[in-house]
Amino acid sequence: MSNNGFKVKIGLASCSIAAGAAKVHDLLKDLLADDGIHLQRTGCMGLCYCEPQVEVVAPDGRSYLYGNVSTDNVGQIVEEHIKKGEPVEELLVVPPDGASEAGEYIGRQERFLLHNCGNIDPENIESYLDAGGYKGLAKAVAMKPEEVIAEVKSSGLRGRGGAGFPTHQKWTFARDAKGEQKYIICNADEGDPGAFMDRSILESDPHSVLEGMMIAGYAIGASVGYIYIRAEYPLAIRRLKIAIAQAKEHYYLGTNILNSGFDFDIKIREGAGAFVCGEETALIASIEGKRGMPRFRPPFPAVSGLFASPTSINNVETFANVPQILAQGAAAYNVHGTEFSKGTKVFALAGKVNRGGLIEVPMGMSINDIVFAVGGGISTGKAFKAVQTGGPSGGCIPAELADTAVDYESLKEIGAIMGSGGLLIMDEETCMVDVAKFFLTFTREESCGKCTFCRVGTEQMLRILERITEGEGTEEDIDTLEDLGSKIKAGSLCGLGQTVPNPVLTTIKYFRDEYEAHVRDKVCPAKNCKALIEYEIVAEDCKGCGLCRKQCPVDAISGGKKEPHVIDQATCLRCGLCVNSCKFDCITVSSKPGKTAPVDGQGMGAVS
Amino acid sequence: MMKTMAVEELQVLKEKNPLLAIDAIVQRHNADPGSAIPILQDIQNTFGYVAPEVLQRVSELSGILESELYSIVTFYSQFRMEPIGENLIQVCHGTACHLAGAERVSEAIMHETGAKDGGTSPDGKFTLEKVACLGCCSLAPVITVNEETYGRVAPNEVGKVLKEINGQTEDKKAGCKGGCHHE
């Protein structure tokens, strides 16, 4: 049979592959081969919550997006929709008219930067070219470098790595700096836990980042660009390598690019697992083959950066914006966003939200709109409690302040930061002290050790938080945390140390009562901290199936067949495995009774 | 050309003569400035870990001080100085996974395999590593086993996943030629 006019696309990014998309792809390819229908691979379609996704475009051009596709139901889509022309309603997440929950999720976004993600084949340069790729570069090299910088200036683009420094200023400094050799660095060391924007862009639209780097190279007068990327992102690295090779074949990289006399080459450097390397001077040290330790600025990298040469470091998303700004013009770009925060921002929406994924919204959208209109509200059915922005450097914003607009200035005003784009949604079952402890555990580990306040201060803050979550904290501890936090901020050299106390400071600021409940009443209001809770089996609901007993790692559960089971509190580790295994929801968690007085002898030095 | 020696070729060379594989790796990168980290990464990819004895040879060949190499290996969390078990399990402890119960998953794996965090199980089959975010937050909690990602891992199902993996590696040892998909 010959091609009947249908087009089929499947999203193959890390998330989708983890959800089984590679197997769906292989099967789909086989099923479509007989009909001569081409199956196109694309990157992330953005709807991470219903991966894997398959898009079917009918001969009349109408698009049908299927979600949660598996090897069990993909045959049905081929048989009924592609062969008989009857869409499979029950698997459809976005119908052609967009009238669905997922349609709402996409409809409320402004997919300006991500327009290629989920549409083009990231491993094929032709696909990028067909979508208008490398037009920005062509326009740029026909202009003077100063004009390119002026265009970026009037676009209002600010660094998407988190701090929001105006991109054109960085470029101007590097352009004006004296030096034979200059460098461009793309910071793809996306280390914030909970952030996957850069990975998704690199996996779905790698050429846009390369093109942005080339334009930046032309603007500042650099001939070499480095991409410093986390080794934890193997697929992004693979697709970047393919993209670089294809760009060379098509003469977008190399010498005398587009007959302009401009030479540019791009190299990849894999990170080796150090969060601090997201900081620019540490990142440079790492590319130079040293320990990733930050150094004092000035001199700024724009003057003396990689191998002591003028260097401009920008983040993945910043570079991905640049080709569009050049191709469409600054005026078309800065219609999006607010007065001082132009354009759109890509976020990784995750946590306890119904529709999580890769989203792009105009700057200035409120947190509430992101959580409810885009994200569809809280997944657990519990109350919305807080959102965490900016990972370990960011802050927790309480639900009461969720009408705050998401732009650089508004977030700063309430003590949070934009950060690189992680948005973690938390419900009332999340313990804010535990969240603060989680981030401190991470940053304590990741402090490079150069500055005493960061190295020792994070350790001490973590010990205090551990004490509090174990029910052994005092009220004085909360004040000590605040005091230490402000000193670490003041006494640290780089952005890591200057921001690590943020999660603790903002949770104390907005959720002080929760800290107080831990230290005064020895209660964890979210019923999360192990030392302050206990699990119990509700005897009248227990069917005596024995699943929890088998699951318990320490044999703390006993009971005969078809008889109510009992948990021995003295042996129980409070790991919660029994709750996961119970099919009748008859295991409850409650605050531990009788915990009232602090235990002596647990001073700051006593905990190891 | 040495520069383009593929990972597979390095593996073959390593089997024949480990010292030559190290030579090839150093030669592959030596012309690049700041090559210490890529050299050590290639060594770990080829040998599974960076043995302390290797550093001296790398130093002789590359001219990079042995102390400098040592400082890198001990600074970056990616480098291991001891061999790992047959299967490497990485448990994501990113924020989303933490909220979704990554701690329970880790505990279940430790209980199931007997491996401690960063260590290898007594039978040498599994090495467990807690890692920072793997970037698959929507599928939390996430683990990877030998670089293959598993999403929405329920702690009480970890045992099943591990048995499956163990079965697969046994199959491979017995000469499985096809049917295994690796993207």
Side-chain angles (χ1 to χ4, degrees):
Chain A
M1 212 172 103
S2 65
N3 187 337
N4 62 3
F6 274 90
K7 286 184 193 138
V8 185
K9 288 181 184 178
I10 179 162
L12 283 172
S14 289
C15 290
S16 15
I17 291 168
K23 286 175 190 134
V24 175
H25 170 269
D26 292 354
L27 179 59
L28 193 53
K29 202 174 168 189
D30 285 347
L31 293 173
L32 294 174
D34 297 342
D35 300 328
I37 297 169
H38 177 66
L39 175 62
Q40 193 200 310
R41 162 188 47 215
T42 74
C44 173
M45 293 184 172
L47 296 84
C48 305
Y49 70 98
C50 56
E51 294 283 7
Q53 285 139 36
V54 171
E55 185 188 356
V56 174
V57 182
D60 61 5
R62 282 152 62 97
S63 155
Y64 300 78
L65 187 68
Y66 292 101
N68 300 311
V69 181
S70 71
T71 45
D72 294 334
N73 58 28
V74 71
Q76 192 186 356
I77 297 171
V78 173
E79 275 308 311
E80 292 177 23
H81 194 173
I82 298 170
K83 293 198 174 163
K84 294 182 195 150
E86 292 160 13
V88 186
E89 300 289 340
E90 67 268 26
L91 297 173
L92 210 53
V93 289
V94 187
D97 62 2
S100 70
E101 279 187 14
E104 166 99 359
Y105 170 84
I106 295 169
R108 293 300 298 258
Q109 300 181 41
E110 228 161 85
R111 292 175 79 89
F112 174 79
L113 181 79
L114 299 177
H115 69 293
N116 279 340
C117 297
N119 281 321
I120 66 162
D121 179 351
E123 297 187 19
N124 183 352
I125 192 172
E126 300 293 344
S127 188
Y128 181 67
L129 290 169
D130 288 344
Y134 288 112
K135 279 192 181 147
L137 176 70
K139 254 183 149 172
V141 295
M143 295 156 80
K144 285 190 189 131
E146 293 81 1
E147 291 169 348
V148 173
I149 295 177
E151 193 70 18
V152 172
K153 182 180 179 181
S154 58
S155 77
L157 178 65
R158 296 168 65 173
R160 296 296 193 249
F165 192 77
T167 305
H168 74 92
Q169 273 187 27
K170 249 188 197 178
W171 291 9
T172 307
F173 293 147
R175 169 145 199 93
D176 292 347
K178 287 197 178 73
E180 279 288 299
Q181 176 70 59
K182 295 182 183 179
Y183 294 101
I184 290 290
I185 296 176
C186 172
N187 183 349
D189 192 45
E190 187 175 47
D192 282 1
F196 52 88
M197 304 75 54
D198 294 350
R199 172 180 66 68
S200 303
I201 294 170
L202 291 167
E203 285 177 358
S204 311
D205 194 12
H207 284 284
S208 69
V209 180
L210 301 185
E211 188 180 352
M213 289 177 72
M214 295 171 203
I215 295 169
Y218 178 75
I220 73 158
S223 59
V224 179
Y226 279 92
I227 301 175
Y228 188 84
I229 182 167
R230 294 180 83 202
E232 288 89 338
Y233 287 174
L235 183 62
I237 294 171
R238 197 168 70 93
R239 290 195 172 153
L240 272 174
K241 284 182 179 164
I242 294 171
I244 291 171
Q246 290 180 343
K248 280 183 182 164
E249 279 165 26
H250 285 72
Y251 305 107
Y252 292 110
L253 277 177
T255 51
N256 193 21
I257 294 164
L258 299 170
N259 284 322
S260 63
F262 168 55
D263 305 337
F264 200 68
D265 189 21
I266 294 179
K267 299 175 183 183
I268 295 178
R269 275 297 170 88
E270 286 180 35
F275 176 65
V276 69
C277 288
E279 197 279 339
E280 57 183 17
T281 60
L283 189 157
I284 287 172
S286 185
I287 296 183
E288 289 172 347
K290 301 178 203 145
R291 278 187 163 206
M293 294 179 85
R295 64 155 174 80
F296 190 75
R297 296 177 302 182
F300 285 92
V303 176
S304 177
L306 185 60
F307 305 119
S309 301
T311 304
S312 182
I313 303 190
N314 299 98
N315 142 286
V316 169
E317 191 184 333
T318 313
F319 281 125
N321 269 296
V322 172
Q324 298 260 45
I325 291 170
L326 267 293
Q328 300 187 26
Y333 180 83
N334 64 24
V335 293
H336 307 275
T338 62
E339 191 183 352
F340 299 110
S341 300
K342 292 292 180 198
T344 59
K345 179 78 192 84
V346 179
F347 288 104
L349 186 61
K352 304 208 168 154
V353 64
N354 273 318
R355 303 191 288 255
L358 183 72
I359 64 163
E360 180 179 0
V361 297
M363 291 274 194
M365 188 183 249
S366 76
I367 291 167
N368 264 330
D369 276 351
I370 294 178
V371 175
F372 293 95
V374 179
I378 306 301
S379 57
T380 52
K382 304 268 161 77
F384 169 38
K385 183 171 184 177
V387 50
Q388 213 280 342
T389 67
S393 331
C396 285
I397 302 165
E400 301 89 78
L401 291 177
D403 54 357
T404 305
V406 175
D407 62 51
Y408 293 104
E409 279 72 26
S410 309
L411 288 176
K412 206 173 168 188
E413 239 167 65
I414 56 170
I417 60 165
M418 173 79 79
S420 59
L423 275 187
L424 252 292
I425 312 302
M426 301 171 187
D427 69 355
E428 58 188 337
E429 283 188 336
T430 313
C431 169
M432 302 315 283
V433 186
D434 178 68
V435 168
K437 188 178 84 175
F438 164 76
F439 282 118
L440 247 293
T441 310
F442 177 80
T443 39
R444 191 267 317 251
E445 218 27 59
E446 295 296 341
S447 168
C448 79
K450 187 169 186 165
C451 306
T452 315
F453 273 101
C454 179
R455 183 183 68 243
V456 183
T458 50
E459 173 72 32
Q460 293 306 331
M461 282 180 94
L462 180 60
R463 286 185 190 182
I464 295 172
L465 288 166
E466 279 171 352
R467 212 156 62 215
I468 294 176
T469 54
E470 277 157 21
E472 283 155 11
T474 62
E475 290 207 38
E476 201 191 346
D477 281 339
I478 307 176
D479 300 331
T480 312
L481 281 175
E482 286 186 310
D483 183 46
L484 260 175
S486 65
K487 285 178 177 148
I488 295 171
K489 272 170 163 274
S492 300
L493 184 62
C494 84
L496 189 145
Q498 287 160 10
T499 57
V500 286
N502 283 351
V504 181
L505 295 177
T506 55
T507 47
I508 295 179
K509 184 173 174 189
Y510 295 117
F511 300 95
R512 200 181 179 97
D513 54 334
E514 233 174 289
Y515 280 82
E516 286 169 351
H518 280 76
V519 297
R520 267 187 214 156
D521 313 324
K522 311 297 169 195
V523 163
C524 172
K527 297 196 183 96
N528 177 85
C529 296
K530 279 184 189 176
L532 304 175
I533 55 166
E534 62 183 28
Y535 290 100
E536 246 177 316
I537 299 172
V538 182
E540 46 270 34
D541 296 337
C542 178
K543 307 273 187 266
C545 69
L547 273 180
C548 59
R549 181 166 38 83
K550 283 181 205 138
Q551 197 64 233
C552 180
V554 288
D555 297 326
I557 303 178
S558 56
K561 227 178 189 180
K562 295 193 176 168
E563 277 171 18
H565 282 42
V566 182
I567 301 175
D568 173 28
Q569 297 300 340
T571 322
C572 175
L573 297 174
R574 284 166 284 277
C575 66
L577 282 177
C578 54
V579 181
N580 280 73
S581 65
C582 182
K583 292 195 170 130
F584 308 101
D585 286 334
C586 65
I587 303 179
T588 61
V589 51
S590 54
S591 291
K592 198 171 191 167
K595 251 264 181 216
T596 47
V599 179
D600 290 328
Q602 289 288 332
M604 241 153 77
V607 188
S608 61
Chain B
M1 240 174 87
M2 281 298 187
K3 183 89 185 158
T4 52
M5 184 172 267
V7 180
E8 296 77 24
E9 290 174 273
L10 280 173
Q11 282 294 349
V12 175
L13 194 57
K14 176 197 104 181
E15 298 300 329
K16 276 194 206 149
N17 186 341
L19 290 178
L20 280 182
I22 293 169
D23 294 3
I25 289 168
V26 175
Q27 243 171 317
R28 195 180 184 194
H29 295 287
N30 228 4
D32 298 333
S35 58
I37 295 172
I39 289 173
L40 294 169
Q41 284 172 328
D42 269 5
I43 287 174
Q44 177 151 306
N45 285 341
T46 311
F47 294 89
Y49 68 112
V50 182
E53 311 80 85
V54 166
L55 298 181
Q56 196 188 347
R57 186 159 181 98
V58 173
S59 174
E60 282 165 14
L61 294 167
S62 66
I64 304 166
L65 288 176
E66 198 180 335
S67 58
E68 222 165 280
L69 293 169
Y70 188 77
S71 83
I72 292 167
V73 175
T74 50
F75 181 82
Y76 293 98
S77 62
Q78 183 188 33
F79 296 113
R80 284 183 293 264
M81 296 182 83
E82 282 168 7
I84 52 164
E86 279 173 42
N87 302 287
L88 176 65
I89 309 171
Q90 296 179 311
V91 183
C92 178
H93 279 251
T95 324
C97 289
H98 177 75
L99 292 181
E103 201 54 52
R104 287 184 195 176
V105 176
S106 281
E107 281 171 10
I109 293 173
M110 289 186 214
H111 173 64
E112 196 72 33
T113 63
K116 293 203 169 61
D117 177 26
T120 303
S121 59
D123 61 3
K125 286 208 187 303
F126 295 99
T127 297
L128 174 67
E129 262 180 18
K130 289 185 188 177
V131 294
C133 192
L134 293 165
C136 293
C137 308
S138 298
L139 298 169
V142 175
I143 65 169
T144 73
V145 185
N146 306 328
E147 292 193 351
E148 192 161 335
T149 312
Y150 295 79
R152 297 194 185 105
V153 180
N156 50 329
E157 283 169 11
V158 161
K160 210 171 75 188
V161 174
L162 296 184
K163 278 196 191 94
E164 199 184 298
I165 310 285
N166 206 11
Q168 278 173 13
T169 37
E170 295 296 320
D171 282 353
K172 256 186 213 163
K173 273 192 215 155
C176 166
K177 294 276 187 245
C180 307
H181 183 93
H182 297 284
E183 172 63 26

